[in-house]
């Protein structure tokens, strides 16, 4: 068992298609291979992390806990050292319901709990059981995203080196600092990971250079190169270490994990 200082890492990006879920899948699997006890939390209403490991959406998901905080998190064991809290498509629009419930409780004179702290409160009783907790965030600024940032100790921003993605990563850092100031003073930027990088593309090189100049202390030295096996592993619903352990994708994610675990999180 680990101490209550277990790192909680929010894998986040300001737009879809940046490799966020792929990174969460392979980071969780790679840490588990290293003997680390890992819990992955699918907080994205698109449920891609859940679909990566389970053939269909289970009956009990994070949604049921968000609407009824008294329920314990439904944890599914994926394999040795690797557990998952699955998501549900029902989470579309849940932010409006949670905020409405807060307003109704206030108007009725009942005790009001900040709905942005739901996930942190749900994780608190089980946090000590894990070496790492990874949260796959939704690609938008909503109540579910806020829950992930309020619960996290660190944010790993995942982005490809395309111009709009680079700009989105920079914007997300600013939002993260706002959350840190508002409600989670211990939140830190764990790093910025560049994914799906075409090493022969001048445009990708330019995007990478922009990020490295902008945040030289935070961009991971490792970059995830464009790799067909990474895409095929997603189709096969496997992590890259199981699907193609000698591929560039596996080598890159292995280097990234080694770098990640040496950082303060």
């Amino acid at each position: 068992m680990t101490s209550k200082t277990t790192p909680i890492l929010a894998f986040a990006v300001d737009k879809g298609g940046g490799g966020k879920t792929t990174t969460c899948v392979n980071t969780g699997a790679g840490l588990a291979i290293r003997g680390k006890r890992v819990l992955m939390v699918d907080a994205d209403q698109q449920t891609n992390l859940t679909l990566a490991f389970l053939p269909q959406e289970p009956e009990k998901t994070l949604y049921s806990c968000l609407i009824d905080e008294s329920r314990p998190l439904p944890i599914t064991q994926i394999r040795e050292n690797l557990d998952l809290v699955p998501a549900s498509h029902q989470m579309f629009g849940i932010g409006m319901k949670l905020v409405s419930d807060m307003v109704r409780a206030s108007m009725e004179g009942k005790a009001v709990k900040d709905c942005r702290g739901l996930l942190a409160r749900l994780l608190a009783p089980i946090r000590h059981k894990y070496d790492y907790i990874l949260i796959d965030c939704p690609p938008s600024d909503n109540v579910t995203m806020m829950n992930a940032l309020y619960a996290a100790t660190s944010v790993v921003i995942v982005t490809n080196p395309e111009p709009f993605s680079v700009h989105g990563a920079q914007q997300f850092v600013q939002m993260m600092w706002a959350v840190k100031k508002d409600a989670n003073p211990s939140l830190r930027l764990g790093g910025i990971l560049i994914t799906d990088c075409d090493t022969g593309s001048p445009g990708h090189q330019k995007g990478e250079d922009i990020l490295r100049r902008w945040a030289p202390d935070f961009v991971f030295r490792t970059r995830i190169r464009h790799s067909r096996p990474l895409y095929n592993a997603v189709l096969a619903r496997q992590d890259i270490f199981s699907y193609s352990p000698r591929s560039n994708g596996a080598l890159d994610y292995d280097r990234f994990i080694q770098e990640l675990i040496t950082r303060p999180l």
Side-chain angles (χ1 to χ4, degrees):
M1 299 298 180
T2 55
S3 72
K4 57 184 178 182
T5 57
T6 298
I8 301 177
L9 311 183
F11 288 80
V13 69
D14 203 37
K15 63 188 295 294
K20 169 182 61 65
T21 300
T22 298
T23 295
C24 194
V25 166
N26 292 309
T27 302
L31 286 169
I33 290 170
R34 284 172 162 79
K36 305 297 183 182
R37 182 97 167 110
V38 181
L39 175 66
M40 299 179 298
V41 179
D42 192 351
D44 188 348
Q45 61 267 23
Q46 297 179 84
T47 73
N48 289 332
L49 182 64
T50 300
L51 292 172
F53 290 105
L54 301 178
Q56 59 187 13
E57 185 178 301
E59 181 179 344
K60 295 181 180 180
T61 69
L62 177 62
Y63 174 80
S64 60
C65 302
L66 293 178
I67 62 173
D68 183 356
E69 191 177 339
S70 67
R71 298 179 181 180
L73 285 170
I75 297 173
T76 299
Q77 183 176 22
I78 302 301
R79 65 182 70 133
E80 185 180 7
N81 295 325
L82 190 62
D83 293 346
L84 170 70
V85 175
S88 167
H89 286 98
Q90 291 176 294
M91 293 198 311
F92 278 106
I94 193 174
M96 185 176 295
K97 173 176 173 50
L98 293 176
V99 172
S100 297
D101 289 348
M102 282 181 58
V103 172
R104 186 180 303 110
S106 178
M107 293 177 65
E108 294 174 354
K110 298 178 180 178
V112 178
K113 290 185 178 181
D114 188 346
C115 66
R116 297 170 299 180
L118 262 170
L119 185 56
R121 297 193 293 270
L122 289 166
L123 288 172
I126 61 170
R127 181 176 176 178
H128 67 282
K129 297 180 180 180
Y130 295 94
D131 297 304
Y132 291 90
I133 297 176
L134 315 180
I135 305 174
D136 188 25
C137 299
S140 58
D141 177 6
N142 58 26
V143 173
T144 313
M145 171 69 83
M146 290 299 105
N147 265 270
L149 296 183
Y150 277 43
T153 58
S154 296
V155 177
V156 176
I157 296 175
V158 183
T159 181
N160 62 48
E162 298 288 341
F164 289 148
S165 298
V166 169
H167 181 64
Q170 293 171 319
Q171 286 187 315
F172 195 92
V173 171
Q174 301 308 315
M175 184 181 75
M176 192 206 81
W177 294 139
V179 172
K180 177 181 177 70
K181 181 179 179 180
D182 176 52
N184 187 356
S186 63
L187 184 65
R188 67 170 72 221
L189 178 57
I192 301 173
L193 176 66
I194 297 171
T195 62
D196 199 26
C197 183
D198 181 350
T199 56
S201 166
H204 278 199
Q205 185 60 60
K206 181 178 179 180
E208 181 177 349
D209 290 344
I210 289 171
L211 280 174
R212 292 193 184 280
R213 288 197 305 269
W214 180 71
D217 296 329
F218 293 104
V219 179
F220 287 96
R221 295 188 303 275
T222 304
R223 58 186 175 180
I224 309 301
R225 291 168 287 178
H226 178 75
S227 170
R228 187 69 184 178
L230 279 173
Y231 175 75
N232 292 339
V234 172
L235 295 179
R237 297 191 177 190
Q238 295 183 43
D239 63 84
I240 192 62
F241 304 107
S242 301
Y243 181 80
S244 184
R246 295 185 179 181
S247 65
N248 285 342
L251 294 173
D252 289 348
Y253 271 111
D254 185 67
R255 293 189 190 101
F256 163 66
I257 293 167
Q258 186 59 42
E259 189 176 351
L260 179 73
I261 62 180
T262 62
R263 291 195 172 202
L265 300 171

